[in-house]
Amino acid sequence: MRTEPLDPDVAGARRTRTGRRAPASAPGPQTRDDKSSPITRVSRSFAFVDLCGFTDFVDLHGDDAAVAELRILRAGVREAAGAAGVRVDKWLGDGVMLVGVEPEPLVTAVIALQGYHEARGRLPLRGGLATGAVILLDGDDYVGRAVNLAARLCERAESDQILAAADDALALPPGIRATPATSFHVKGFVRPVAVVALAPITSTAG
């Protein structure tokens, strides 16, 4: 049995029974853009916050207690972020990623969240903050050093500790102090990163 040619150029060159050339078929949908989307660079502040010891807590106290703790965290995040005017970018299981246009409101939100959860929750929080220029990818995701640094600082923070990259971009709101910590060798970063610990001025820590 004779089969039809599959190549569109060959198929388009067929002639009909009347001897006329068959009309060329319309081009199919493009599988990818011919030109890359324009890159948008923005300056943003990022914070990652999570619960310390959450896995052990779940194993010891069970799923219901874990869900209750997460609900306290999320209620605190919504209240603190809303009051400070920063955005909840994404939930990360027992943590959250926050984004602000300026560092001051973001610091305010993280410190307020820490106080909220300390008064209501059973687990301590830790957090990491960084500010810098990043790429806004597809309008809803961020790629750049500041995002990675904030996440790594959260991982390095101890219980009840909020770490921030100590650079010119860091600006603190009234009532918050920055205590020099050290220069960390942060995973994924070639050079040591100068870091400070953030806390309310009324705190007895430090």
Side-chain angles (χ1 to χ4, degrees):
M1 181 174 67
R2 183 171 179 267
T3 59
E4 293 294 330
L6 299 180
D7 191 312
D9 292 333
V10 176
R14 294 199 316 266
R15 295 185 180 275
T16 64
R17 292 181 180 178
T18 61
R20 297 177 180 176
R21 182 181 296 273
S25 57
Q30 296 293 324
T31 56
R32 62 185 178 88
D33 294 334
D34 293 333
K35 296 182 179 180
S36 300
S37 300
I39 294 177
T40 302
R41 296 185 183 274
V42 296
S43 179
R44 293 289 184 271
S45 296
F46 302 92
F48 287 80
V49 180
D50 64 21
L51 298 173
C52 300
F54 184 73
T55 301
D56 292 342
F57 181 85
V58 175
D59 187 54
L60 183 62
H61 298 284
D63 295 343
D64 291 339
V67 169
E69 193 73 3
L70 290 176
R71 284 176 174 166
I72 294 172
L73 172 67
R74 294 193 174 202
V77 168
R78 293 187 181 99
E79 179 175 304
V86 301
R87 184 166 66 88
V88 179
D89 187 78
K90 62 182 69 175
W91 298 104
L92 304 169
D94 62 339
V96 65
M97 174 183 172
L98 302 175
V99 180
V101 177
E102 300 291 340
E104 295 98 326
L106 191 65
V107 172
T108 298
V110 172
I111 296 299
L113 171 59
Q114 185 182 38
Y116 181 101
H117 201 86
E118 182 178 358
R120 297 167 177 81
R122 301 169 65 180
L123 290 173
L125 294 179
R126 62 179 181 176
L129 295 90
T131 297
V134 294
I135 293 175
L136 181 58
L137 181 63
D138 295 334
D140 61 1
D141 201 5
Y142 299 96
V143 178
R145 180 180 185 276
V147 184
N148 299 334
L149 182 55
R152 293 300 188 186
L153 290 180
C154 182
E155 293 176 358
R156 289 292 304 268
E158 299 177 357
S159 296
D160 288 320
Q161 188 177 46
I162 307 298
L163 297 179
D167 53 34
D168 293 339
L170 179 63
L172 302 180
I176 306 298
R177 62 172 180 167
T179 303
T182 184
S183 292
F184 289 163
H185 285 279
V186 181
K187 182 179 179 181
F189 292 82
V190 176
R191 298 179 180 178
V193 178
V195 177
V196 293
L198 306 181
I201 290 178
T202 56
S203 174
T204 59

